[in-house]
Amino acid sequence: MEQSSAAALDNQSDEDAINISVAVPVYNEETTVEELLGRIGKVLDTIAGEHQIVIVDDGSTDSSFAILEAAAKQDSRILAVALSRNFGHQVAISAALDHSCGDVVVVMDGDLQDPPESIPLFLNEYRQGYDVVYAVRTHRKENIVKRTCYKVFYRLLSVLAHLEIPLDAGDFALMSRRVVDLVRNSHERQRYLRGLRTWYGFEQKGIPTARDARHSGQSKYSLGKLLRLALDGIFAFSIVPIRMAMLAGVIAVGCSLLYALYALYVKFYFDPSQQAPPGFTALILTITFLSGMNLLFAGIIGEYIGRIYEEVKQRPHYVVKRTIGKVK
Ligand code: UDP
Ligand code: MG
């Protein structure tokens, strides 16, 4: 342990001691992991207690795991877990939670967009009695298109979800052991962790935290992956889309009844010679509009059924290929 951090520890009583696990997913982050481990390690050095850094390598094809392996052999706090292939960010976080043993677990991204230096701030709130302390992004250093998409998505989700999921809160958060165990024991496959975390309740607090720019490399979230995450969030926490089918059906039936009344009125009260010829355009519009609606809602229903199918298959969430370090 470094001199300065040893001095910092001297000022703390045993009562302050707390066992922390830091859970981090990484995917092709060879240019960042060393710096990441260094910064997390430094922060943990200043906090009394037994700590663990669980890094899950989500099927990287670069040298990320080799670096992690070397680091885990040097520092007994590090547990490096390699998954058998790329399972995706949310699943990698689940794997990290499964391997964490601390009284509190801090989940953070492996690209240093979430500053490890915020951990002591989260801990202060935990000590005040909060079970979940999450970062609320004050400003993002991503491009305007991505920022706008995030903003629109979080607001859409808050309208659709039957749950108050905090706006602009990501996965960067501290969770108490009881919340971690609850999240781990929820069996759903398509996980949207920030939603699950909220669902379990207890005392939760958001802390404004700036989201740094990526340390290096490119975002590992392709547009497709980001879209899938957004759909997971919406479909896992809302049945509003499927209800919209009913609403649209009611509106369509209402309109057609009104039109029938109007047609009867015209038939009985107007001179037939003054009636407009039957509207071909109106007919085509009605047919195409309603068949479009049918396809759209068949798609939405299909989306839910597909997800039910995924759940009933009961495959494991992930497969571990190797672990380096002490599994507690
Ligand atoms: N990540 C992962 N598996 C993936 C994609 C990403 O483990 O399939 C990791 C990635 O290495 C990073 C974190 O998840 O540590 C967040 O990903 P990224 O920074 O690419 O997402 P963004 O911040 O751009 O939304
Ligand atoms: Mg990132």
Side-chain angles (χ1 to χ4, degrees):
M1 196 179 294
E2 290 171 24
Q3 288 277 299
S4 58
S5 42
L9 271 181
D10 284 346
N11 296 331
Q12 296 184 347
S13 65
D14 278 353
E15 273 175 30
D16 288 331
I18 188 157
N19 300 342
I20 305 174
S21 295
V22 181
V24 193
V26 296
Y27 176 50
N28 291 342
E29 304 283 6
E30 62 183 1
T31 50
T32 315
V33 278
E34 249 168 291
E35 166 95 9
L36 171 78
L37 291 172
R39 274 174 64 182
I40 296 175
K42 249 192 199 141
V43 172
L44 293 181
D45 283 346
T46 63
I47 303 164
E50 275 189 40
H51 308 311
Q52 184 196 29
I53 306 171
V54 183
I55 308 257
V56 171
D57 176 34
D58 186 19
S60 295
T61 48
D62 66 0
S63 61
S64 297
F65 194 71
I67 301 171
L68 290 176
E69 184 175 355
K73 284 178 181 159
Q74 295 258 316
D75 185 339
S76 61
R77 294 176 298 186
I78 299 174
L79 171 64
V81 179
L83 301 186
S84 60
R85 64 169 171 86
N86 178 246
F87 282 89
H89 179 213
Q90 297 288 301
V91 177
I93 295 179
S94 298
L97 290 182
D98 290 345
H99 287 83
S100 301
C101 62
D103 300 329
V104 302
V105 180
V106 177
V107 174
M108 56 187 289
D109 280 353
D111 58 353
L112 285 172
Q113 279 199 278
D114 303 326
E117 293 73 22
S118 300
I119 294 175
L121 302 177
F122 288 10
L123 270 181
N124 287 344
E125 301 300 333
Y126 169 76
R127 291 196 172 102
Q128 306 296 317
Y130 289 99
D131 275 274
V132 175
V133 186
Y134 54 86
V136 178
R137 323 306 200 184
T138 46
H139 51 270
R140 296 174 170 274
K141 295 196 177 124
E142 282 128 350
N143 68 43
I144 177 106
V145 180
K146 215 168 173 181
R147 277 200 326 253
T148 315
C149 289
Y150 278 119
K151 258 214 151 78
V152 171
F153 165 69
Y154 281 122
R155 272 132 198 95
L156 180 71
L157 184 61
S158 85
V159 173
L160 293 181
H162 39 267
L163 179 71
E164 282 287 311
I165 297 177
L167 293 176
D168 300 314
D171 291 316
F172 186 24
L174 172 151
M175 287 179 272
S176 65
R177 174 47 51 192
R178 62 176 169 178
V179 173
V180 172
D181 286 343
L182 287 166
V183 168
R184 285 183 54 203
N185 290 330
S186 62
H187 298 294
E188 59 197 87
R189 229 132 283 266
Q190 292 115 10
R191 287 174 167 219
Y192 184 66
L193 284 164
R194 49 203 96 156
L196 271 180
R197 194 178 68 201
T198 310
W199 192 89
Y200 283 108
F202 299 110
E203 310 304 320
Q204 308 216 352
K205 184 166 186 182
I207 295 202
T209 313
R211 183 132 163 101
D212 291 342
R214 217 169 205 289
H215 173 264
S216 54
Q218 296 282 321
S219 169
K220 305 301 175 309
Y221 258 97
S222 59
L223 193 65
K225 273 188 180 171
L226 212 54
L227 204 65
R228 222 171 306 144
L229 179 69
L231 290 179
D232 279 351
I234 289 174
F235 286 102
F237 286 95
S238 174
I239 53 163
V240 174
I242 216 163
R243 280 211 184 120
M244 269 162 37
M246 201 165 71
L247 186 69
V250 170
I251 292 173
V253 170
C255 289
S256 81
L257 279 178
L258 282 179
Y259 185 73
L261 289 176
Y262 168 75
L264 284 175
Y265 173 74
V266 169
K267 186 171 172 66
F268 289 116
Y269 290 96
F270 282 90
D271 179 358
S273 63
Q274 289 184 1
Q275 284 177 23
F280 181 71
T281 322
L283 198 66
I284 293 291
L285 276 180
T286 314
I287 292 172
T288 50
F289 177 73
L290 287 182
S291 44
M293 294 277 266
N294 268 334
L295 283 177
L296 176 68
F297 287 110
I300 291 176
I301 293 164
E303 185 70 32
Y304 282 100
I305 293 176
R307 282 159 191 271
I308 295 168
Y309 179 54
E310 284 298 316
E311 297 291 338
V312 296
K313 276 194 285 191
Q314 290 290 317
R315 284 194 192 133
H317 295 191
Y318 57 85
V319 178
V320 173
K321 186 165 70 179
R322 271 182 86 192
T323 52
I324 312 278
K326 206 160 83 201
V327 183
K328 291 169 200 169

